[in-house]
Amino acid sequence: MPANKNEQRRIVLQGRQFHFVSYEAIPANEKRGESAVPPMWYLMNEGHRRPVMPHVPGQDPVTLERALGRWVQEHIFSQATAGA
């Protein structure tokens, strides 16, 4: 059972909605050679999740939404214009 309840945020930028979900930390698995992963925010898209940034429980919602919006600008919209 998760120690923390997953949080969700939906933000709309340039007419598109982006859905983010927080997940708790994942411990390292030495047998598989996998490193530990801290609590993270992930962008959910078509059944896949993409790591975005560390999740900080209790973070100010306005600050969080600004940070998620900056991430979208830098990683989604800037890639779209670079490929155009």
Side-chain angles (χ1 to χ4, degrees):
M1 180 175 230
N4 296 323
K5 183 177 179 183
N6 292 8
E7 294 182 47
Q8 298 188 38
R9 292 287 186 274
R10 293 180 190 272
I11 62 172
V12 177
L13 291 170
Q14 298 184 18
R16 291 177 55 189
Q17 179 174 268
F18 296 90
H19 179 208
F20 297 91
V21 177
S22 69
Y23 284 88
E24 63 183 5
I26 301 171
N29 185 332
E30 292 181 19
K31 291 181 182 178
R32 293 185 180 175
E34 297 172 351
S35 300
V37 178
M40 295 283 293
W41 280 102
Y42 290 87
L43 173 64
M44 307 307 287
N45 187 17
E46 298 178 356
H48 298 281
R49 64 184 190 179
R50 181 174 175 183
V52 173
M53 63 185 203
H55 174 251
V56 179
Q59 185 175 8
D60 174 60
V62 173
T63 303
L64 172 61
E65 289 191 15
R66 285 182 185 150
L68 294 172
R70 278 192 306 273
W71 186 90
V72 169
Q73 292 291 345
E74 294 171 7
H75 294 90
I76 304 297
F77 293 134
S78 68
Q79 289 179 358
T81 56

